[in-house]
Amino acid sequence: MKLLVINGPNLNMLGIREPEIYGRETYADLCALIQKHCDEKSIEVTFYQSNHEGAIVDEIQAACGRLDGIVINPGGYTHTSVAIRDAIAAVGLPTVEVHISDPDTREDFRHVSYVRDVCRATFKGLGFAGYLKAVDFLCGEEPKT
Ligand code: DHK
């Protein structure tokens, strides 16, 4: 199985940005955690992070026909991006939405997710563990929440 983990804007700043919300671990720590989890399950995983909406759309399109699933934390684009939503729908790959925090318990503008209904499941408010649950879900080992 081949998976792509996409992180959107400002997630490269993990460990520095608002640690009381996102924790003190870095983006490199996050990738290492997911890599180890995938290694244990013999999953081939690649990572992509960008602060640019169109670049994320390009990466989703590039996965079409090559990979088996996508784990995506679109960051702030969750709440604004029709283009990322349309890309997920266009490629038709099983995709899972992840958030480190729980946007539904934060500011009102975070309560809307443009990607949620084109994703198979959402894991939010679980810290980095949400990414591992998303991987497990795509392997058929984790129930939908
Ligand atoms: C990450 C962001 O960058 C925010 O814009 C979202 C999400 C929440 C997270 O919790 O991982 O609102």
Side-chain angles (χ1 to χ4, degrees):
M1 179 172 222
K2 294 182 184 174
L3 299 182
L4 170 64
V5 178
I6 298 178
N7 278 284
N10 301 307
L11 289 157
N12 56 318
M13 297 290 285
L14 286 172
I16 297 169
R17 75 181 291 211
E18 301 174 276
E20 66 286 1
I21 296 174
Y22 298 104
R24 297 201 177 274
E25 290 183 292
T26 66
Y27 176 69
D29 293 334
L30 173 62
C31 294
L33 181 76
I34 300 168
Q35 183 72 63
K36 181 170 177 286
H37 191 70
C38 288
D39 286 348
E40 285 164 6
K41 293 170 182 284
S42 300
I43 295 168
E44 208 176 295
V45 63
T46 52
F47 299 95
Y48 184 75
Q49 191 280 326
S50 177
N51 296 323
H52 303 279
E53 185 176 18
I56 294 169
V57 169
D58 287 344
E59 191 68 16
I60 294 167
Q61 289 183 6
C64 190
R66 285 197 309 120
L67 303 180
D68 303 306
I70 298 173
V71 174
I72 186 164
N73 181 347
Y77 288 137
T78 306
H79 320 298
T80 64
S81 181
V82 175
I84 291 175
R85 174 213 169 80
D86 286 351
I88 293 168
V91 302
L93 289 172
T95 299
V96 178
E97 176 190 20
V98 174
H99 300 288
I100 295 165
S101 68
D102 182 354
D104 295 327
T105 62
R106 297 178 61 194
E107 304 94 326
D108 286 353
F109 63 84
R110 295 185 202 274
H111 296 183
V112 171
S113 169
Y114 279 63
V115 303
R116 190 147 309 165
D117 69 335
V118 292
C119 288
R120 301 274 178 99
T122 299
F123 296 98
K124 56 189 175 68
L126 303 172
F128 286 7
Y131 291 84
L132 307 186
K133 282 186 176 283
V135 168
D136 292 348
F137 177 85
L138 288 168
C139 295
E141 294 171 8
E142 179 70 30
K144 180 177 177 161
T145 59

